[in-house]
């Protein structure tokens, strides 16, 4: 299974989620479960997705003291998810504790960092006390994530080139903000097409509404795969 497309399952309940998932093939895509779906449906739904053969990215963005984040990552590993993430701003000790917890698990998900949320502007970040260009802080946190043993980070497709160059080609970059040519950008501001994001060096593309809001999600997924070549 080597699909680079991760479908964001931003649904409110299990019935609508499985209605989509049961049309999909694990060879064509992976699946992302975020906070809303997880809080509503819990680990039982994640189990069902894994039992159907899908790789699951558990997108819960853990951020807490090292001991608590380590325990949460261990629990995610025990669930059998393929990828899990933590906030890089939780610091080196927190990320190292997450890495160690995963190393000790029999199943070892990829461990990914979140740098600066793309919803934050320079002004929003300054208000929290960080008077710095967001792009500089993204690079700093990505480097810290790499130094702390993480496998990669989530970033905008526009940041992929510089991160691959400065941190290394093997550092995994997971990119939302992807829109097929001609589709609605919605609330995403800084976008690339799937083919552009892959040729920039993205390892995995997180795509939600262009697939989930399509009248024919399976065809939308296949069109994206064909567009990527
Ligand atoms: O529907 P859309 O393709 O915009 O969905 C993108 C997914 O990626 C959503 O689940 C969103 O929460 C997530 N995401 C994002 N931007 C980030 C981090 C995560 O859009 N910086």
């Amino acid at each position: 299974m080597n699909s680079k497309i991760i479908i964001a399952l931003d649904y409110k309940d299990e019935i609508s989620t499985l209605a989509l998932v049961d049309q999909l093939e694990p060879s064509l895509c992976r699946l992302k479960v975020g906070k809303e779906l997880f809080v509503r449906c819990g680990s039982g739904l994640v189990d069902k997705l894994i039992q159907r053969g899908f790789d699951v990215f558990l997108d819960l963005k853990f951020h807490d003291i090292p001991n608590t984040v380590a325990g949460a990552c261990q629990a995610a590993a025990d669930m059998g998810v393929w990828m899990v993430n933590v906030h890089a701003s939780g610091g080196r000790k927190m990320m190292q504790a997450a890495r160690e917890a995963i190393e000790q698990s029999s199943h070892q998900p990829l461990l990914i960092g979140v740098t600066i949320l793309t919803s934050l502007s320079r002004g929003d970040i300054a208000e929290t006390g960080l008077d710095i260009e967001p792009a500089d802080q993204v690079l700093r946190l990505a480097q810290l994530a790499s130094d702390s043993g993480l496998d990669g980070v989530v970033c905008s497709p526009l940041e992929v080139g510089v991160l691959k160059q400065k941190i290394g080609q093997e550092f995994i970059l997971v990119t939302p903000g992807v829109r097929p040519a001609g589709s609605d950008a919605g609330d995403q501001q800084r976008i690339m097409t799937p083919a552009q994001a892959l040729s920039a060096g993205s390892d995995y593309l997180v795509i939600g509404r262009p697939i989930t809001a399509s009248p024919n999600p399976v065809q939308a997924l296949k069109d994206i795969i064909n567009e990527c070549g």
Side-chain angles (χ1 to χ4, degrees), residues 8 10 32 59 61 117-118 154 176-179 187-188 206-210:
D10 293 325
K32 180 173 90 67
D59 179 21
K61 301 184 179 73
L117 295 172
T118 46
V154 181
V178 177
R179 287 290 177 268
D187 51 5
Q188 296 282 9
V206 175
I207 305 179
R209 287 160 292 179

Side-chain angles (χ1 to χ4, degrees), residues 6-10 32-34 57 59 61 85 114 116-119 154-156 174-179 184-188 206-212:
I6 304 172
I7 300 183
L9 295 175
D10 293 325
K32 180 173 90 67
V33 174
F57 171 16
D59 179 21
K61 301 184 179 73
N85 59 1
V114 175
I116 296 284
L117 295 172
T118 46
S119 52
V154 181
C155 66
S156 150
V174 179
T175 57
V178 177
R179 287 290 177 268
D184 185 2
D187 51 5
Q188 296 282 9
V206 175
I207 305 179
R209 287 160 292 179
I211 295 170
T212 56

Side-chain angles (χ1 to χ4, degrees), residues 116 125 132-141 159 162-163 190:
I116 296 284
I125 298 167
I132 187 170
E133 275 303 321
D136 294 340
Q137 184 66 357
V138 166
L139 179 57
R140 177 194 289 254
L141 288 173
E159 293 156 356
V162 68
L163 292 182
R190 306 191 317 134

Side-chain angles (χ1 to χ4, degrees), residues 169-221:
Q169 291 301 315
E170 66 295 338
F171 195 59
I172 295 173
L173 300 179
V174 179
T175 57
V178 177
R179 287 290 177 268
S183 75
D184 185 2
D187 51 5
Q188 296 282 9
Q189 304 284 333
R190 306 191 317 134
I191 56 174
M192 277 193 189
T193 67
Q196 284 169 339
L198 289 177
S199 66
S202 271
D203 295 286
Y204 298 104
L205 312 177
V206 175
I207 305 179
R209 287 160 292 179
I211 295 170
T212 56
S214 160
N216 187 341
V218 177
Q219 192 55 48
L221 171 61

Side-chain angles (χ1 to χ4, degrees), residues 70 74 93 95-105 111 148:
Q74 175 103 57
K93 289 190 193 122
M95 289 190 276
Q96 286 176 337
R99 172 85 275 160
E100 282 161 24
I102 285 177
E103 296 286 306
Q104 286 160 18
S105 305
L111 179 60
S148 308

Side-chain angles (χ1 to χ4, degrees), residues 115-131:
T115 57
I116 296 284
L117 295 172
T118 46
S119 52
L120 297 176
S121 68
R122 195 187 196 292
D124 295 327
I125 298 167
E127 237 178 3
T128 71
L130 273 182
D131 195 6

